[in-house]
Amino acid sequence: MDLYEFQGKELFRRFGIPVSEGRLATTPEEARQGAQELDGPVVVKAQVLAGGRGKAGGIKLAATPAEAEERAREILGMDIRGLAVQKVWIERASEIEREYYLSISFDRGAKKTLLMFTTQGGIDIEEVAVSSPEALARLHVDPLEGYHAWHGRRLVYEAGLEDPGEQKQVVKIVGQLHAAFTGCEAMLCEINPLIVTTEGEVRALDSKFTVDDNALFRLPEIASMRDLAAADPLEALAREKGVTYVKLDGEVGVLGNGAGLSMATVDVVTFVGGRPANFCDLGGGGDAQGVVDALEVITGDPQVRSIFFNIFGGITRCDEVARGILQALGQLETRHPMVVRLDGTNAEEGRRILRDAAPPNLYVEPTMLDAARRAVELAA
Ligand code: GDP
Ligand code: MN
């Protein structure tokens, strides 16, 4: 789950990382009110889950509350990379001397946490990595060993940061950011830019914070930060129903049991020349309610033209799944042709149940490849 800048900064603040004081606003009037409370020049920042807001015109300085209201009027409703701006963050303006970059992420190859720091911040880090890789200091933290202050010192030293006052502040922030990263079960914590003010104070001016979805059940407070209004309605419906669903952009709706089989189903649809409309994992079950929920989500996508139901019965019994499908078809109006492949435990019986009931528009195929071909044909 990606957090908005203001949410990430709230977490930063709790871990002691210096951030500017600010207020959230959803209307120009609230922006004026916020600026009044902050009492001084402010910056009005579009809150969208995308980077490059500055370049897109979503970040503007305002000297007075009246100006903040005007800038908020311009930014609210703006389209930034396909996302409508519904909130602005009004923050006390900073006087920037220099812009640095600091991040913590996973290096999956090394199976370690990766710290990155460069004094060439403010711009795309990918650019720095290409144009001057030597300026980008990278250092792993072994998760079994944990973070130690020497990690921070080594990192800033390797990046060539020379000012002792800045070194001290940045090293402290690296430790705090690492604590936030592990404490909030993050997958990415990025500060770009990490600024040095004209007074020599180091502060996080931006925040990019991604929390591991699989940890949200034990982080209720962070889970509640999810912006339901901004989420894709189908993905929101799926989450509500407990269905694992990822929207893709093809026409064949895919439904499998288990993540591995569902992924293989996406692959085989592509292999026979089709395009999957989604990835959907029914999980271990296959009871009628689970099937109804998954079908409801899949058929909610107007791009779906056919549905490929791929079940391998291990613990799940195919006869039960077949009954679940029939029950689901009784409860749910689907105009989409459905191709079913059942294999594994009680597959024979499952197929017989479907053949005997013979619901219209339902095709039973013996193999995954045949079923994929049929589903792709039916979507054409
Ligand atoms: P991004 O474009 O989405 O990465 O948004 P950032 O929060 O990183 O802001 C982009 C740029 O706007 C920064 O690199 C700064 O140059 C500028 N900016 C943001 N806040 C302030 C501020 O308080 N004062 C000044 N002078 N510039 C700011
Ligand atoms: Mn930024």
Side-chain angles (χ1 to χ4, degrees):
M1 174 172 115
D2 295 326
L3 301 182
Y4 286 104
E5 174 196 4
F6 75 93
Q7 297 172 325
K9 281 182 168 171
E10 167 58 22
L11 296 178
F12 284 176
R13 200 185 52 75
R14 289 187 205 174
F15 284 85
I17 298 168
V19 289
S20 308
E21 198 190 341
R23 300 280 186 279
L24 192 66
T26 54
T27 64
E29 294 72 33
E30 278 174 24
R32 171 199 277 266
Q33 175 69 29
Q36 225 141 32
E37 287 169 24
L38 293 170
D39 192 24
V42 296
V43 51
V44 181
K45 308 183 78 175
Q47 296 301 291
V48 284
L49 297 174
R53 295 166 300 160
K55 279 183 208 146
I59 293 176
K60 289 179 173 151
L61 288 160
T64 64
E67 236 180 80
E69 181 176 338
E70 271 322 295
R71 300 291 88 82
R73 203 181 301 283
E74 290 158 15
I75 294 172
L76 285 163
M78 192 182 255
D79 186 286
I80 297 182
R81 299 200 189 171
L83 300 165
V85 181
Q86 296 171 337
K87 300 184 196 80
V88 285
W89 176 241
I90 314 296
E91 177 175 281
R92 184 164 285 147
S94 304
E95 291 198 48
I96 304 172
E97 185 73 38
R98 281 182 289 280
E99 300 195 334
Y100 299 160
Y101 169 100
L102 173 66
S103 73
I104 307 188
S105 57
F106 289 131
D107 182 342
R108 291 177 188 277
K111 297 196 175 91
K112 283 176 184 160
T113 306
L114 178 65
L115 311 176
M116 286 199 272
F117 177 72
T118 174
T119 55
Q120 304 189 9
I123 55 165
D124 263 355
I125 195 61
E126 286 79 9
E127 260 172 56
V128 178
V130 171
S131 61
S132 40
E134 71 291 340
L136 181 63
R138 297 160 47 97
L139 186 67
H140 285 114
V141 177
D142 188 323
L144 298 178
E145 193 186 315
Y147 179 86
H148 298 279
W150 67 262
H151 285 109
R153 290 197 296 270
R154 165 84 70 84
L155 189 70
V156 301
Y157 173 80
E158 283 187 3
L161 185 67
E162 276 164 7
D163 181 276
E166 286 180 22
Q167 279 179 354
K168 203 167 154 221
Q169 293 179 73
V170 175
V171 168
K172 190 167 171 202
I173 292 173
V174 178
Q176 290 163 329
L177 191 65
H178 187 272
F181 181 84
T182 51
C184 300
E185 309 216 36
M187 302 175 75
L188 172 71
C189 285
E190 185 184 79
I191 306 177
N192 190 23
L194 178 72
I195 59 158
V196 184
T197 65
T198 45
E199 261 102 64
E201 194 211 338
V202 181
R203 199 186 308 153
L205 203 71
D206 193 4
S207 141
K208 196 167 168 192
F209 208 121
T210 308
V211 179
D212 185 348
D213 281 337
N214 295 309
L216 288 176
F217 75 95
R218 57 185 169 213
L219 299 167
E221 207 205 332
I222 294 177
S224 73
M225 288 179 172
R226 194 188 290 279
D227 184 355
L228 296 171
D232 174 80
L234 275 184
E235 295 196 349
L237 175 71
R239 202 168 296 117
E240 187 190 307
K241 302 251 177 208
V243 175
T244 306
Y245 172 86
V246 180
K247 165 111 178 76
L248 303 171
D249 42 43
E251 296 79 33
V252 180
V254 166
L255 216 173
N257 68 324
L261 183 65
S262 301
M263 278 199 276
T265 311
V266 164
D267 284 350
V268 79
V269 165
T270 311
F271 177 70
V272 300
R275 297 197 319 154
N278 64 275
F279 164 98
C280 185
D281 173 11
L282 202 55
D287 61 325
Q289 194 53 48
V291 176
V292 170
D293 289 346
L295 281 179
E296 201 180 323
V297 173
I298 291 178
T299 54
D301 175 357
Q303 253 177 266
V304 169
R305 312 262 296 260
S306 71
I307 296 169
F308 178 3
F309 208 124
N310 193 5
I311 299 294
F312 185 85
I315 295 169
T316 310
R317 287 164 34 203
C318 290
D319 56 318
E320 257 178 37
V321 175
R323 284 190 202 96
I325 292 173
L326 293 179
Q327 221 177 313
L329 289 178
Q331 288 178 33
L332 196 87
E333 192 84 16
T334 52
R335 56 203 153 70
H336 304 85
M338 221 161 109
V339 182
V340 182
R341 173 259 182 170
L342 295 173
D343 211 342
T345 310
N346 293 1
E348 265 313 314
E349 202 190 333
R351 286 187 215 127
R352 189 185 50 74
I353 290 170
L354 290 178
R355 261 197 308 270
D356 289 353
N361 244 349
L362 186 130
Y363 306 82
V364 181
E365 293 285 347
T367 73
M368 189 152 152
L369 199 59
D370 291 328
R373 286 204 183 100
R374 176 65 78 96
V376 171
E377 248 172 59
L378 289 166

